């Protein structure tokens, strides 16, 4: 995976997510996800599970948006790339949930789709919270 391509895809994804989480449309976000995308969230919160296909993944994003009352924002910190179509990103999140400000960090392990020099969509994501217990507590109203 080419580092600039991975960063460009993540920047587009996070920009579209942040717009969606603030109440914007899902069009740009949907276009960055393959039709057969899989998004896996570990843990025991109401958000935990594996979401398959655009409708389920967008539904998961909508749950996060609604639980965070449109305050949820993502910031990319670093990216790790190597051979193949997989890359990892250290990402910070913040949101106000039930009146309390929360901050957390995750590693997202992504599968990209498209030619190596033109990675255009995300085919899979495995979310890995750095503190699973705290992450579950944040997302359990």
């Amino acid at each position: 995976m080419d580092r600039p391509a991975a960063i460009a895809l993540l920047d587009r994804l996070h920009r579209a997510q942040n717009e969606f989480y603030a109440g914007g449309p899902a069009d740009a976000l949907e276009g960055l996800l393959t039709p057969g995308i899989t998004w896996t969230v570990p843990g025991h919160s109401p958000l935990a599970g594996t979401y398959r296909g655009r409708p389920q993944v967008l539904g998961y994003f909508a749950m996060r948006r609604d639980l965070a009352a449109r305050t949820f924002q993502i910031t990319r910190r670093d990216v790790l790339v190597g051979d193949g179509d997989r890359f990892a990103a250290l990402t910070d999140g913040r949101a106000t949930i039930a009146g309390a400000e929360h901050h957390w960090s995750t590693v997202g392990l992504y599968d990209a789709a498209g030619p190596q020099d033109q990675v255009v969509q995300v085919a899979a994501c495995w979310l890995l919270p750095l503190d699973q217990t705290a992450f579950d507590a944040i997302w359990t109203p």
Side-chain angles (χ1 to χ4, degrees), residues 16-88:
Q17 284 178 301
N18 286 338
E19 289 173 8
F20 177 76
Y21 291 143
D27 300 343
L29 185 54
E30 185 174 359
L32 292 168
L33 310 175
T34 63
I37 188 166
T38 301
W39 201 283
T40 302
V41 182
H44 301 288
S45 77
L47 299 179
T50 299
Y51 302 90
R52 292 180 174 84
R54 281 183 186 151
Q56 283 189 10
V57 172
L58 290 171
Y60 157 71
F61 292 157
M63 282 191 298
R64 293 195 326 181
R65 178 195 61 206
D66 296 344
L67 281 171
R70 292 170 169 65
T71 65
F72 180 28
Q73 292 289 290
I74 300 168
T75 304
R76 174 181 50 83
R77 293 295 175 207
D78 205 358
V79 175
L80 176 66
V81 298
D83 294 334
D85 294 329
R86 224 169 243 172
F87 62 95

Side-chain angles (χ1 to χ4, degrees), residues 51-139:
Y51 302 90
R52 292 180 174 84
R54 281 183 186 151
Q56 283 189 10
V57 172
L58 290 171
Y60 157 71
F61 292 157
M63 282 191 298
R64 293 195 326 181
R65 178 195 61 206
D66 296 344
L67 281 171
R70 292 170 169 65
T71 65
F72 180 28
Q73 292 289 290
I74 300 168
T75 304
R76 174 181 50 83
R77 293 295 175 207
D78 205 358
V79 175
L80 176 66
V81 298
D83 294 334
D85 294 329
R86 224 169 243 172
F87 62 95
L90 176 61
T91 305
D92 291 343
R94 73 176 194 284
T96 301
I97 301 172
E101 179 75 20
H102 297 281
H103 300 270
W104 63 92
S105 296
T106 61
V107 172
L109 178 60
Y110 295 89
D111 274 345
Q116 288 292 340
D117 61 341
Q118 297 177 356
V119 178
V120 295
Q121 290 182 306
V122 175
C125 178
W126 295 267
L127 193 62
L128 308 166
L130 299 188
D131 184 336
Q132 184 68 59
T133 301
F135 187 82
D136 284 341
I138 289 167
W139 293 106

